[in-house]
Amino acid sequence: MSVLDKLLPEFFIKVDRDLCIKCGQCVNNCGFSALLQDKDKNVKPIHEKCVACQRCMFVCPTKAIQITKFPGTQKHNDYWDPEYINNIKKQANTGGILLTAAGTDKLHPIIFDRLFLDACQVTNPSIDPLREPMEIISYLGEKPIDIAIEFKDNSYILKNKLKPNIKLSSPIIFAAMSYGAISLNAHKSLARAAKESGILMNTGEGGLHKDLYEYADNIIVQVASGRFGVDPDYLKRAAAIEIKVGQGAKPGIGGHLPGYKVDDEVSSTRMIPKGTDALSPAPHHDIYSIEDLAQLIASLKEATDYSKPVGVKIAAVHNVAAIASGVARADADYIVIDGFRGGTGAAPTMIRDHIGIPIELAIAAVDDRLRKEKIRNKVSIVAAGGIRHAADMAKILALGADFVTIGTASLIAMGCTLCQKCYTGNCSWGIATQRPDLVDRLNPDEVSKKLVNLIRGWSLELKEIMGALGINAIESLIGNRERLRALELSKETLDVLGVKPAGR
Amino acid sequence: MIPALEHIPSGCAAAGIMNKSGIRISGDAIMDMMSVMHSRSNGLGGGFAAYGIYPETPDNYCLHIMFDTESAKREVDSLIEENFIVERQEKIPTKIINEIKDPPLLWRYFVLPKPEKLVAKNMHADDFVVKLVMLVNTRIPGSYVNSSGKNMGVFKGVGYPEDIGRFFMLEKYGAYIWTAHGRFPTNTPGWWAGAHPFSILDWTVVHNGEISSYGINKRFLETYGYECVLLTDTEVIAYTFDLLVRKHGLPLDIACNVVASKFWKDIELMPEEEKKLHTALRMTYGNLLLNGPFAIIVATNNYMMGLNDRIKLRPLVYGKKGEFSYLASEESSIRKVESNLDDVYSLVAGKPLKVEVNKDVCA
Ligand code: SF4
Ligand code: SF4
């Protein structure tokens, strides 16, 4: 190996010889084989292999092991970031595409952090969610434009026939993450937590494993361009169906599940041969236009007797408002808009970090457009991509979304440390992997509880925020931009958001 | 005055009187009712709605319009001429009093839409009038339509309500429904068009409260063609009732179940049919829920209705004596004009109280 082939490690593993009791736990737990023990049981780090998944630091009983950034410095350069230099060297070695995972880690402006919520003082009272009802039940699906009523036998009878809607106890959905990209235990945890919390999980594009059939009422099944695992039974074993057109982390790009993650179970669930790469094409090859999408929506509804909502997921791209309008008119019942911070199990770095627009702007633009065209009732709007906490959720709802999906946040609740190495299949936390030794670490009994807690915590926080706003029903928060103010955002951004600057 | 007992003024005052058989009474009583609640207002807005005041032209829409400038009036005049047959137009009579300063130009027009305009636009007369009102309010700066119903009118401005009443000489009008409002403005400056009642066609609304859901109520109404320009949350209430009752044909009590919707926990316990209905109402009109404290009095040509928010954060009292029904923010206000009541009680959270005039009153 020539010195030119070499890369400096990104991380540096320090083992404190005084503290280490040589128990070997770190070595056994490292999914990336970055730690070995010599014959005297001394821990030997291989710095180049470390991805800072942090598993060793969590398991070490004496806190003898620490991961730090590689301390060797390079000449400081604000423009040529060390990451870019390293990447060029990697590509000079291999001639390949840079791969990464999770949501973009780049410091693009964060609009969420420039938005502030309102509260009541004096002129209207705030409401105490511990003492008063605080309603966050939400319905996913198309709503009527008006209500028709008949007066019969001394009572009012509803004359509308409502389109299928799903009732959620909180406006949160676990984001689409496929079995294959993540482990079966991770999928089971999500399904159980969705059921217990009264919300939904999304299968992603990898089909539905038979162990999850019992959770059908809390599952959205995805139909993506690879059509993995799609057959009539799959469509029937779900509360809703979602056509995946795009993903915020990789708009315009298909999926790629490497063959080494396709074991027996993944192969039968996806209905593909074991060990083959599962490649979903960039576009759906039966959707080259909006009318093609309308046909697929109609077919899926026909196939399921118009009994469940059919949604469409698109990435937040420049023209998202017009696209969403088309999707609503193509008879989708809900639209997921995935912002540029959305996560992924594998994506080309250039795509992840440079394509798409922020979810805050996309939701504002879509909500405005659908209202202007008087078709807002036709779809629920679901905001995806980069929702970090309950305040982000409250803000995006106020901008106009009906629901949020949480992917990265739910992974973190399951143990993920955002090392961004999901595509390697070595996830030390048993999430983004199919290696049996790693998958076994993730216990659905334990992890589903964490997810339930997360949903509970965020729901309570949402209620607190609503209480401060003097609002006791989520319908009064959604699209209520009057209760947001912005700090240091440009006039143009304010204009798109429909939000006033703080102080006005 | 003992400092500890010093009154801290807050909120607004609302009141209403209705005579069931359509007997028209002068504005004295309602002005009396308002004067008792003087300290609930701060002199930055007061107003009245009166029904049955133009019996000689019951079929004409009467547009009460205020203009900041002569040129605004000229613009509106030509718009009206173009679209309406004008039966009569005149300055609204007022009396110069010290308390009322710098009033705008106040005019009323008794009109009917030109039939050929309705045909050309394929519109119902009511919708045509609503459209014109929106046009005047949004496109002609310095002009505001205060009311646009038949045989009714709104009189309002900056001042204490009882002074506004004297300014408009309401003692000279006879009405079978009167509603009134005194403002203690918090979220918009005191200006003439911003005073209550708010009105569209023969709907009027007076409102004590602050709507925390204003932002989305307004945006929802915009998708149904209503433009909210008056910088106040009460405007959305008037448009909401117009949309639900007139346009969508919902019964008034059902419309009340939209603006003060049932809680999910109560819907859960309802019989199946009722549950379906209330679920559908919330799913469809959830954005029209008026969230936040309110006590409102809604009136039209044939009824008066009081309604509180669903957790009752503002006062509203009902009183009855013979053919007269009363609503007011304070019981004292009712007692001032009728001390010997047959019945008196506070309204229940979220439950409308509607009193109707007899069928023959406005057939
Ligand atoms: S886990 Fe900690 S104590 Fe155990 S071998 Fe590793 S560094 Fe040493
Ligand atoms: S899921 Fe696992 S591999 Fe992926 S970022 Fe999280 S910890 Fe790393």
Side-chain angles (χ1 to χ4, degrees):
Chain A
M1 194 192 246
S2 133
V3 66
L4 266 183
D5 296 340
K6 288 190 180 164
L7 295 171
L8 289 174
E10 203 180 344
F11 301 103
F12 193 77
I13 306 164
K14 282 199 282 197
V15 181
D16 186 317
R17 299 288 162 216
D18 295 335
L19 288 175
C20 178
I21 53 167
K22 305 185 180 180
C23 68
Q25 289 213 50
C26 55
V27 179
N28 295 335
N29 268 278
C30 183
F32 295 86
S33 315
L35 298 167
L36 297 171
Q37 265 178 311
D38 66 13
K39 58 182 189 320
D40 299 324
K41 301 243 166 130
N42 290 317
V43 176
K44 294 278 163 213
I46 307 166
H47 305 293
E48 289 79 1
K49 290 194 169 176
C50 179
V51 301
C53 80
Q54 305 167 40
R55 181 85 184 182
C56 57
M57 293 199 288
F58 279 91
V59 295
C60 174
T62 63
K63 296 288 163 272
I65 191 161
Q66 281 168 12
I67 310 294
T68 58
K69 278 199 168 162
F70 183 68
T73 190
Q74 71 168 38
K75 171 84 176 92
H76 175 80
N77 194 319
D78 274 333
Y79 191 67
W80 289 95
D81 189 274
E83 182 193 333
Y84 301 149
I85 296 175
N86 247 340
N87 282 346
I88 289 172
K89 286 181 179 287
K90 264 190 219 166
Q91 290 184 290
N93 283 345
T94 63
I97 285 177
L98 299 165
L99 266 190
T100 187
T104 181
D105 53 10
K106 296 289 168 289
L107 193 66
H108 301 301
I110 306 172
I111 296 173
F112 276 131
D113 293 347
R114 301 286 179 92
L115 291 175
F116 296 86
L117 289 150
D118 193 17
C120 294
Q121 299 287 291
V122 184
T123 56
N124 49 354
S126 43
I127 304 171
D128 186 343
L130 296 175
R131 295 186 174 83
E132 305 273 357
M134 196 52 77
E135 303 185 311
I136 57 170
I137 288 175
S138 306
Y139 280 85
L140 181 74
E142 175 176 352
K143 313 292 186 291
I145 189 109
D146 58 13
I147 290 289
I149 284 178
E150 194 181 25
F151 193 68
K152 225 168 81 187
D153 305 329
N154 232 4
S155 62
Y156 295 122
I157 310 285
L158 177 70
K159 287 184 70 184
N160 301 61
K161 187 153 167 17
L162 296 194
K163 293 281 175 61
N165 264 264
I166 309 170
K167 177 180 169 181
L168 279 78
S169 63
S170 188
I172 309 174
I173 298 170
F174 290 130
M177 291 178 284
S178 69
Y179 171 46
I182 63 173
S183 65
L184 185 56
N185 280 350
H187 243 211
K188 280 184 189 165
S189 307
L190 289 164
R192 271 191 217 179
K195 184 171 181 167
E196 199 170 326
S197 306
I199 61 165
L200 294 169
M201 68 94 75
N202 188 318
T203 59
E205 64 167 319
L208 182 68
H209 190 272
K210 56 185 179 315
D211 287 0
L212 269 66
Y213 289 174
E214 58 182 294
Y215 301 101
D217 289 346
N218 297 86
I219 286 180
I220 297 174
V221 292
Q222 223 179 38
V223 174
S225 58
R227 299 286 198 274
F228 299 121
V230 179
D231 68 6
D233 291 331
Y234 174 71
L235 300 178
K236 278 172 191 151
R237 285 189 195 108
I241 302 169
E242 181 173 305
I243 299 168
K244 178 196 170 183
V245 171
Q247 187 175 342
K250 44 179 173 178
I253 298 282
H256 179 187
L257 185 71
Y260 52 79
K261 278 179 119 176
V262 182
D263 62 9
D264 280 328
E265 294 291 307
V266 172
S267 122
S268 72
T269 305
R270 292 207 174 208
M271 305 173 186
I272 55 167
K274 183 177 168 183
T276 52
D277 285 6
L279 299 166
S280 42
H284 287 247
H285 284 301
D286 53 358
I287 306 179
Y288 286 174
S289 68
I290 197 79
E291 51 286 12
D292 292 344
L293 176 69
Q295 279 190 18
L296 181 58
I297 293 173
S299 320
L300 292 172
K301 288 188 175 180
E302 187 69 35
T304 49
D305 295 330
Y306 300 86
S307 63
K308 53 193 74 177
V310 173
V312 174
K313 176 177 179 177
I314 55 173
V317 290
H318 301 181
N319 213 8
V320 66
I323 298 165
S325 154
V327 172
R329 290 176 193 284
D331 211 18
D333 299 311
Y334 72 90
I335 306 180
V336 183
I337 315 277
D338 198 9
F340 77 152
R341 288 186 187 280
T344 175
T349 311
M350 290 304 118
I351 303 284
R352 186 196 73 170
D353 291 346
H354 301 282
I355 292 189
I357 63 169
I359 190 64
E360 302 92 322
L361 296 171
I363 289 295
V366 168
D367 180 53
D368 269 349
R369 179 66 169 254
L370 297 185
R371 284 181 194 280
K372 206 160 279 158
E373 296 185 11
K374 305 192 195 305
I375 51 174
R376 180 62 178 83
N377 64 300
K378 278 184 72 63
V379 285
S380 293
I381 298 179
V382 183
I387 311 290
R388 298 161 298 174
H389 44 63
D392 282 353
M393 165 165 69
K395 291 172 190 176
I396 204 77
L397 293 179
L399 285 172
D402 297 297
F403 291 86
V404 299
T405 74
I406 53 167
T408 303
S410 57
L411 292 178
I412 293 171
M414 292 196 264
C416 165
T417 50
L418 280 184
C419 72
Q420 309 180 33
K421 288 291 182 285
C422 316
Y423 61 93
T424 63
N426 293 324
C427 175
S428 300
W429 297 88
I431 304 168
T433 178
Q434 302 304 328
R435 272 171 51 187
D437 61 316
L438 299 175
V439 174
D440 280 350
R441 293 176 183 179
L442 198 158
N443 175 353
D445 290 332
E446 181 194 4
V447 168
S448 62
K449 275 189 204 121
K450 301 248 181 237
L451 291 166
V452 170
N453 283 342
L454 180 73
I455 299 301
R456 180 169 181 275
W458 283 27
S459 302
L460 288 173
E461 287 175 330
L462 180 61
K463 291 179 180 187
E464 289 287 341
I465 290 170
M466 286 165 55
L469 289 166
I471 275 173
N472 58 12
I474 191 113
E475 300 98 298
S476 303
L477 172 64
I478 291 165
N480 195 348
R481 302 178 188 176
E482 187 56 36
R483 307 308 296 280
L484 286 174
R485 289 293 186 273
L487 192 63
E488 292 178 349
L489 288 176
S490 73
K491 247 190 142 111
E492 292 74 18
T493 304
L494 290 180
D495 189 43
V496 175
L497 292 173
V499 170
K500 292 179 196 154
R504 287 263 167 81
Chain B
M1 190 186 284
I2 308 165
L5 290 181
E6 197 175 87
H7 181 61
I8 299 166
S10 73
C12 308
I17 310 178
M18 191 194 94
N19 181 286
K20 204 161 96 156
S21 7
I23 292 172
R24 304 189 305 132
I25 60 165
S26 86
D28 286 320
I30 190 85
M31 286 192 275
D32 263 2
M33 285 181 82
M34 293 310 288
S35 65
V36 178
M37 300 189 286
H38 180 87
S39 60
R40 296 185 72 88
S41 317
N42 66 357
L44 289 180
F48 298 80
Y51 291 86
I53 51 175
Y54 302 126
E56 64 284 1
T57 50
D59 298 326
N60 286 106
Y61 294 91
C62 178
L63 309 173
H64 280 206
I65 308 184
M66 54 174 70
F67 307 102
D68 288 344
T69 59
E70 287 285 355
S71 73
K73 178 169 183 304
R74 277 195 297 276
E75 242 182 282
V76 173
D77 280 348
S78 70
L79 191 69
I80 289 178
E81 241 153 71
E82 188 190 326
N83 291 288
F84 291 93
I85 304 162
V86 182
E87 182 78 26
R88 180 155 66 96
Q89 57 172 301
E90 65 198 18
K91 194 174 171 306
I92 298 177
T94 53
K95 176 164 80 187
I96 294 167
I97 61 172
N98 278 338
E99 290 84 352
I100 302 300
K101 310 212 159 48
D102 200 17
L105 304 170
L106 297 154
W107 280 75
R108 61 190 170 203
Y109 304 76
F110 295 86
V111 301
L112 278 176
K114 290 184 178 163
E116 69 269 23
K117 289 278 174 187
L118 295 182
V119 173
K121 292 246 153 85
N122 189 23
M123 274 175 115
H124 184 271
D126 280 351
D127 290 325
F128 188 80
V129 172
V130 171
K131 207 168 164 187
L132 179 107
V133 171
M134 300 288 153
L135 199 69
V136 171
N137 288 347
T138 55
R139 302 290 138 76
I140 306 182
S143 56
Y144 303 97
V145 181
N146 286 342
S147 60
S148 49
K150 294 175 178 174
N151 199 8
M152 57 80 68
V154 165
F155 305 88
K156 63 182 186 180
V158 174
Y160 281 99
E162 56 275 24
D163 298 332
I164 292 289
R166 283 198 296 133
F167 171 74
F168 281 108
M169 300 182 288
L170 296 185
E171 65 278 3
K172 298 200 170 147
Y173 291 83
Y176 56 87
I177 301 177
W178 285 98
T179 64
H181 187 262
R183 272 191 95 195
F184 201 119
T186 49
N187 57 356
T188 50
W191 60 298
W192 280 68
H196 300 205
F198 282 92
S199 183
I200 184 79
L201 298 173
D202 69 342
W203 295 102
T204 58
V205 179
V206 296
H207 161 228
N208 167 13
E210 187 171 319
I211 305 297
S212 310
S213 52
Y214 171 73
I216 185 57
N217 301 143
K218 170 174 178 280
R219 297 185 70 221
F220 186 89
L221 287 166
E222 278 165 3
T223 62
Y224 288 84
Y226 295 87
E227 293 186 52
C228 306
V229 290
L230 296 176
L231 305 174
T232 161
D233 39 16
T234 312
E235 189 184 17
V236 306
I237 305 176
Y239 298 161
T240 296
F241 279 99
D242 186 59
L243 173 73
L244 294 176
V245 178
R246 185 178 63 85
K247 300 270 279 190
H248 290 182
L250 296 181
L252 183 73
D253 49 340
I254 292 294
C256 289
N257 281 318
V258 169
V259 300
S261 63
K262 300 280 188 216
F263 285 103
W264 286 119
K265 66 178 171 53
D266 299 326
I267 294 176
E268 211 45 59
L269 301 174
M270 291 175 176
E272 213 38 52
E273 274 301 324
E274 211 183 336
K275 187 164 156 181
K276 255 171 47 192
L277 171 62
H278 284 273
T279 304
L281 283 173
R282 286 198 68 165
M283 284 166 63
T284 309
Y285 299 119
N287 290 157
L288 285 179
L289 166 63
L290 299 175
N291 218 316
F294 70 80
I296 56 175
I297 301 174
V298 177
T300 72
N301 269 316
N302 42 25
Y303 60 80
M304 171 172 90
M305 182 198 71
L307 178 69
N308 270 125
D309 63 84
R310 54 190 199 147
I311 52 176
K312 181 111 182 163
L313 295 169
R314 287 291 152 92
L316 194 59
V317 181
Y318 168 75
K320 180 176 162 16
K321 172 73 184 179
E323 300 214 309
F324 281 99
S325 297
Y326 302 89
L327 285 166
S329 302
E330 292 180 15
E331 189 178 330
S332 59
S333 157
I334 302 176
R335 297 254 178 224
K336 166 85 178 167
V337 291
E338 181 53 71
S339 55
N340 184 20
L341 289 164
D342 301 340
D343 201 0
V344 60
Y345 52 84
S346 269
L347 268 65
V348 176
K351 216 172 148 200
L353 190 143
K354 175 181 166 192
V355 283
E356 279 177 272
V357 296
N358 294 340
K359 291 243 158 11
D360 54 334
V361 173
C362 51

